[in-house]
Amino acid sequence: MKEMKWAGNTMPESDDRWLSVMSEENVKQAKAFHMGFPQYSVTPLASLGGLAEEIGVGGVYVKDESYRFGLNAFKVLGGAFAMAKYIAGEMKKDISDMTYDYLTSPEFEKDFGHATFFTATDGNHGRGVAWAANKLHQKAVVHMPKGSTKFRFDNIAKEGADVTIEELNYDDCVRLAAKEASETEHGVIVQDTAWEGYEEIPSWIMEGYGTMSKEAAEQLSDAGVKKPTHIFVQAGVGSLAASVVGYFSNLYKDDPPKFIICEADAAACIYKGAVLGTGEEQVVGGDLQTIMAGLACGEPNTIGWDILRNHADYFLSCPDWMSARGMRILSAPVKGDTRVISGESGAIGVGALVSIMKNEEYKELREKLGLDSRSQVLCFSTEGDTDPERYRAITWEGAWPSGEQK
Ligand SMILES: Cc1ncc(COP(=O)(O)O)c(C=O)c1O
């Protein structure tokens, strides 16, 4: 069996200057912005009591982002909010003036004119940017890495974006998009990762993702759960993970939940940094072959990494079968539980949780995490079946069987 690897956090802390990005105030603004969209509704938080009993924890809650804005993934929350913040800055206005009604009005078109938003994507982020650009009558240019599926390409092209699949991996597509933006009049890169000197837009993207965490915190409270004890969140570049970890660290300052970061083993750059243990970020290169397309990123978001090194507890490097297992479990729930349609990058949290609870080889980790019948576990299913063909291959035909040696 191909094993999951894991590492605890023994890294020295930094000055933690990025944690404030995920303040309640910033996330409130993002949520207010999103709530102005006619497509907005709170995505469901599935309470999987049957699964919790089956694996021996007190509760399992799964935030189901397949319902987000009809786009089958959470990502649009970040791109749309960052675009609005950018436009507000250019127009010297406040974000609270950037309502959906204004941004989609002829008046706005007259006041602002046109910008071109560049980005690189495995699919979900680019679709969000293309969708928002379309709604706001702006231009979008989207580059996808080698191996991207036609279905995901078509979903972006449908929004009117200028989209290509390149012979490059994700990180090199980011560099291409940045270069093109810098050479284009009124061009701006809206990338869901940060690097030295490119921090403002990614921090807005992380704030935008915060809407999902804020909704989840409110839904848990409504369900009578004062605080989740454990949060599993997946990472590609780590913007999402840092957004979640940052938000909940601020919310429960004195007694935060345990944060467990799940990566695809082919692209486990954050895990690699945790293993090194010095606090320096690490990079993974090459083709990054994994079914978890949204997690196939080898270079961490610099500001996200800073939040994670200070606040995350455990880092998991997960084989593909573990996410396929999560997809099947969510697709065929214990009787009485709600079904969650969860894609490859969405289901790894549940796949890892179940594996940690059920597989004896992870007993030590289970104990270190303190996962037991009192635990209230929150996971994020960040996408639905964004690759429907593979979704069926896995859930119907049993592709990537549990424990597979691949
Ligand atoms: C569905 C899904 N989940 C999780 C992630 C990971 O987010 P991040 O790259 O911010 O770590 C992505 C990124 O594209 C994604 O598409």
Side-chain angles (χ1 to χ4, degrees):
M1 176 169 94
K2 190 167 185 201
E3 296 280 357
M4 171 181 78
K5 289 186 268 178
W6 51 273
N9 189 348
T10 57
M11 290 179 276
E13 285 190 12
S14 72
D15 63 6
D16 211 14
R17 69 197 165 109
W18 295 107
L19 185 67
S20 58
V21 165
M22 293 312 300
S23 68
E24 183 66 26
E25 196 42 45
N26 288 348
V27 175
K28 243 192 209 156
Q29 284 185 345
K31 188 160 177 261
F33 169 72
H34 292 132
M35 287 174 75
F37 280 70
Q39 295 84 358
Y40 175 83
S41 62
V42 176
T43 57
L45 182 74
S47 169
L48 305 182
L51 179 64
E53 200 181 325
E54 175 69 31
I55 63 175
V57 296
V60 176
Y61 299 88
V62 178
K63 185 72 170 150
D64 183 355
E65 289 295 306
S66 71
Y67 287 92
R68 186 66 68 186
F69 284 11
L71 293 174
N72 222 3
F74 78 105
K75 279 257 151 180
V76 64
L77 293 174
F81 185 61
M83 286 158 77
K85 286 281 283 194
Y86 168 79
I87 292 168
E90 292 290 291
M91 297 180 77
K92 309 214 178 337
K93 287 191 177 219
D94 193 78
I95 183 66
S96 57
D97 298 325
M98 297 291 114
T99 60
Y100 179 86
D101 288 345
Y102 173 62
L103 288 170
T104 53
S105 67
E107 186 194 348
F108 166 71
E109 223 174 328
K110 190 162 61 57
D111 296 347
F112 179 71
H114 291 278
T116 306
F117 294 94
F118 289 81
T119 199
T121 186
D122 68 274
N124 293 322
H125 169 67
R127 188 177 180 192
V129 168
W131 181 86
N134 191 6
K135 291 271 173 295
L136 276 43
H137 313 295
Q138 303 294 314
K139 269 185 75 177
V141 177
V142 180
H143 296 307
M144 305 182 75
K146 186 160 110 178
S148 297
T149 65
K150 179 152 182 348
F151 185 81
R152 290 185 176 137
F153 173 95
D154 289 345
N155 270 332
I156 296 171
K158 242 192 298 197
E159 299 293 346
D162 180 358
V163 53
T164 62
I165 298 181
E166 302 289 334
E167 275 301 306
L168 301 169
N169 76 10
Y170 168 81
D171 303 286
D172 290 328
C173 283
V174 172
R175 280 182 268 277
L176 177 66
K179 180 171 173 288
E180 288 179 358
S182 71
E183 293 166 353
T184 304
E185 206 186 340
H186 303 301
V188 59
I189 174 161
V190 180
Q191 200 54 57
D192 51 352
T193 189
W195 53 86
E196 203 66 37
Y198 180 72
E199 281 129 352
E200 198 171 42
I201 288 180
S203 67
W204 294 333
I205 289 180
M206 287 163 57
E207 290 167 23
Y209 296 162
T211 291
M212 180 180 68
S213 294
K214 189 166 166 55
E215 285 176 3
E218 287 163 3
Q219 287 166 307
L220 280 173
S221 164
D222 290 348
V225 178
K226 268 214 227 97
K227 192 193 80 177
T229 57
H230 297 77
I231 298 183
F232 283 71
V233 60
Q234 53 275 63
V237 298
S239 307
L240 161 73
S243 169
V244 168
V245 169
Y247 178 77
F248 283 97
S249 293
N250 282 323
L251 187 64
Y252 302 111
K253 236 183 217 70
D254 300 329
D255 184 21
K258 283 211 163 64
F259 298 109
I260 302 110
I261 312 304
C262 307
E263 288 181 281
D265 58 7
C269 50
I270 295 167
Y271 162 82
K272 195 174 164 191
V275 170
L276 180 70
T278 61
E280 280 165 86
E281 57 197 68
Q282 293 295 295
V283 164
V284 174
D287 278 352
L288 314 174
Q289 281 306 320
T290 168
I291 58 171
M292 294 174 250
L295 312 189
C297 316
E299 299 181 25
N301 166 341
T302 45
I303 66 180
W305 165 254
D306 195 61
I307 292 177
L308 295 177
R309 81 176 256 202
N310 291 326
H311 298 279
D313 293 288
Y314 278 85
F315 301 86
L316 314 183
S317 169
C318 305
D320 280 350
W321 64 258
M322 204 167 266
S323 113
R325 184 185 201 183
M327 289 165 69
R328 285 189 286 269
I329 290 167
L330 289 167
S331 174
V334 175
K335 194 167 184 184
D337 282 356
T338 311
R339 176 174 183 230
V340 177
I341 298 183
S342 184
E344 295 85 334
S345 299
I348 186 60
V350 167
L353 168 67
V354 172
S355 301
I356 291 167
M357 297 310 293
K358 286 245 191 211
N359 293 27
E360 271 321 287
E361 56 273 30
Y362 305 128
K363 184 161 178 272
E364 187 192 344
L365 177 58
R366 188 188 314 154
E367 287 168 1
K368 282 194 188 286
L369 286 169
L371 277 166
D372 59 28
S373 59
R374 288 160 303 177
S375 304
Q376 300 289 344
V377 186
L378 173 63
C379 297
F380 292 90
S381 174
T382 48
E383 67 176 352
D385 55 346
T386 55
D387 182 348
E389 237 172 74
R390 183 134 72 192
Y391 182 81
R392 286 190 174 181
I394 290 170
T395 55
W396 288 17
E397 314 302 339
W400 284 274
S402 298
E404 190 183 39
Q405 186 71 41
K406 244 202 335 206

